[in-house]
């Protein structure tokens, strides 16, 4: 059957027609990306997608949203849209639907995508095991964390708030970083460092340690300078970000009892080459008595261009066609 797959973030809403069957995604059509600021609601964006498609859309909807899924009023993070699931038949004309948190959708994508949609980061060069727990973490605006539990040909996605565990510094530089962040936050979570905005605190800490005065910059500017190599402090901050992410990914794998790890999100793809060369792998396995066990865990980077759309469709397929 066909389903309209939707991935709604703070800035963009992406739409595509997916074909699903027997609990799986068979295919995902060409995505259409709309700016949320140019549309008053999901309903008007849905109508704009239908107009671009130039044909009637399916009456089934798979919707991933950047928000907790609670109650009958879903208020999106960084987006003024409000979604009321009970009004979906009236507003969208869909008689069957699934609504899922955006990172939950990523978990479904990890469970269903084929091995060729993952790039190897470290550990043994084998596919993610077909049974057991896969830890998924995605550095973006925040740090998304989920578990995918696979057994006997089926799977379950377990969304978590693992990005909000306490940050654990591992050397003098990270001690200084934690001290700096404590000036602002009583409790410093991992997300304060291992998400896109965290590079600001890393950058400012390194500059302060060197006695250098640097202008106040947002994370986008620092990421840009780090990736093009035009600022040595920004580049050092990027290396430090990768080290911290490796340590956190390893901690999460230990806590979850995982036999596979996937790094998700557009930021991960942007820094793929840096992750491979940065020492991410050494930090991932450096878990004392468990180092040899950690070295046996394959760590991948999801490379599918639209994991949110694919994952939303996969969640629908598991709920309605399995």
């Amino acid at each position: 059957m066909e389903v309209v797959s939707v991935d709604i973030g703070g800035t963009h809403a992406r739409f595509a027609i997916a074909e699903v069957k027997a609990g799986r995604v068979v295919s995902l059509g060409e995505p259409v990306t709309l700016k949320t600021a140019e549309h008053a609601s999901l309903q008007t964006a849905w109508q704009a997608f239908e107009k671009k498609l130039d044909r009637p859309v399916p009456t089934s909807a798979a919707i991933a949203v950047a928000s907790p899924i609670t109650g009958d009023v879903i208020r999106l993070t960084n987006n003024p849209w409000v979604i009321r699931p009970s009004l979906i038949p009236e507003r969208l004309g869909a008689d069957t639907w699934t609504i899922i948190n955006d990172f939950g959708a990523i978990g479904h994508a990890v469970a269903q995508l084929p091995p060729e949609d993952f790039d190897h980061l470290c550990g043994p060069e084998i596919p993610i095991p077909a049974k057991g727990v896969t830890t998924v973490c995605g550095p973006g605006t925040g740090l998304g964390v989920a578990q995918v539990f696979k057994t006997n040909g089926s799977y379950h996605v377990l969304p978590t708030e693992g990005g909000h565990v306490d940050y654990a510094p591992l050397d003098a530089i990270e001690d200084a970083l934690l001290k700096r962040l404590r000036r602002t936050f009583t409790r410093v979570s991992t997300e304060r460092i291992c998400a896109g905005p965290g590079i600001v605190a890393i950058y400012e800490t390194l500059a302060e340690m060197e006695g250098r005065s640097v202008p106040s910059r947002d994370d986008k500017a620092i990421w840009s300078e780090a990736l093009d190599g035009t600022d040595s402090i920004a580049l050092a901050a990027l290396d430090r970000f990768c080290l911290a992410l490796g340590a956190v990914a390893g901690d999460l794998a230990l806590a979850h009892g995982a036999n596979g790890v996937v790094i998700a999100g557009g930021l991960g793809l942007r820094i793929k080459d840096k992750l491979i060369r940065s020492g991410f792998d050494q930090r991932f396995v450096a878990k004392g008595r468990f180092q040899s066990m950690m070295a046996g865990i394959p760590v991948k980077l999801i490379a599918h261009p639209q994991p949110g759309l694919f994952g939303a469709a996969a969640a629908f397929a598991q709920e309605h066609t399995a």
Side-chain angles (χ1 to χ4, degrees):
M1 67 181 294
E2 285 190 331
V3 56
V4 179
S5 187
V6 189
D7 181 19
I8 307 170
T11 305
H12 296 103
R14 296 175 174 86
F15 294 77
I17 303 297
E19 182 182 354
V20 299
K21 181 180 180 181
R24 312 289 295 186
V25 178
V26 177
S27 65
L28 182 70
E30 190 69 25
V32 172
T33 301
L34 304 176
K35 291 184 178 180
T36 56
E38 295 178 357
H39 299 276
S41 66
L42 172 58
Q43 181 183 14
T44 63
W46 179 284
Q47 292 166 347
F49 168 66
E50 187 170 23
K51 186 175 181 180
K52 285 179 178 289
L53 200 63
D54 197 28
R55 71 159 177 123
V57 298
T59 58
S60 298
I63 304 170
V65 298
S67 171
I69 308 301
T70 56
D72 194 50
V73 178
I74 300 172
R75 301 183 187 280
L76 278 76
T77 306
N78 301 319
N79 180 335
W81 290 2
V82 175
I83 298 173
R84 293 177 171 84
S86 63
L87 296 179
I88 284 177
E90 175 186 336
R91 300 290 173 84
L92 305 184
D95 51 28
T96 310
W97 68 89
T98 291
I99 297 184
I100 188 171
N101 167 266
D102 59 344
F103 207 76
I106 297 296
H108 282 273
V110 167
Q112 292 205 19
L113 284 169
E116 54 266 29
D117 279 314
F118 298 89
D119 292 336
H120 185 71
L121 285 181
C122 63
E125 289 202 44
I126 58 174
I128 296 294
K131 291 185 178 181
V133 174
T134 302
T135 291
V136 187
C137 58
T141 303
L143 179 64
V145 176
Q147 297 169 270
V148 181
F149 176 63
K150 293 175 281 186
T151 180
N152 299 324
S154 64
Y155 70 90
H156 298 278
V157 176
L158 306 173
T160 81
E161 293 299 337
H164 298 281
V165 300
D166 294 332
Y167 175 64
L170 294 174
D171 59 23
I173 291 176
E174 292 178 355
D175 287 339
L177 174 59
L178 181 60
K179 183 178 179 181
R180 181 182 186 87
L181 284 166
R182 279 187 177 150
R183 298 174 194 169
T184 305
F185 307 105
T186 303
R187 175 183 176 274
V188 179
S189 69
T190 294
E191 185 176 83
R192 299 294 183 188
I193 293 91
C194 294
I199 201 163
V200 175
I202 301 173
Y203 177 84
E204 292 176 348
T205 298
L206 295 177
E208 184 178 51
M209 292 179 70
E210 291 201 358
R212 293 174 58 173
S213 177
V214 293
S216 179
R217 296 176 184 171
D218 64 14
D219 58 297
K220 292 179 181 178
I222 296 172
W223 278 112
S224 177
E225 292 175 346
L227 290 168
D228 64 22
T230 56
D231 184 305
S232 59
I233 298 294
L235 187 58
L238 171 54
D239 288 339
R240 180 59 56 171
F241 178 92
C242 293
L243 290 174
L245 183 61
V248 168
D251 285 345
L252 291 168
L254 272 179
H256 293 170
N259 59 6
V261 172
V262 173
I263 305 298
L267 179 56
L269 280 175
R270 288 178 69 196
I271 63 174
K272 172 190 170 184
D273 293 341
K274 297 291 184 182
L275 285 173
I276 292 172
R277 302 195 307 266
S278 66
F280 171 97
D281 55 342
Q282 287 104 352
R283 279 290 192 89
F284 180 83
V285 303
K287 304 300 175 188
R289 291 167 289 173
F290 294 93
Q291 183 161 330
S292 60
M293 183 187 81
M294 298 300 293
I297 297 175
V299 182
K300 307 292 184 180
L301 179 69
I302 191 167
H304 191 279
Q306 297 292 342
L309 285 173
F310 187 99
F316 178 96
Q318 189 190 56
E319 181 178 356
H320 297 288
T321 71

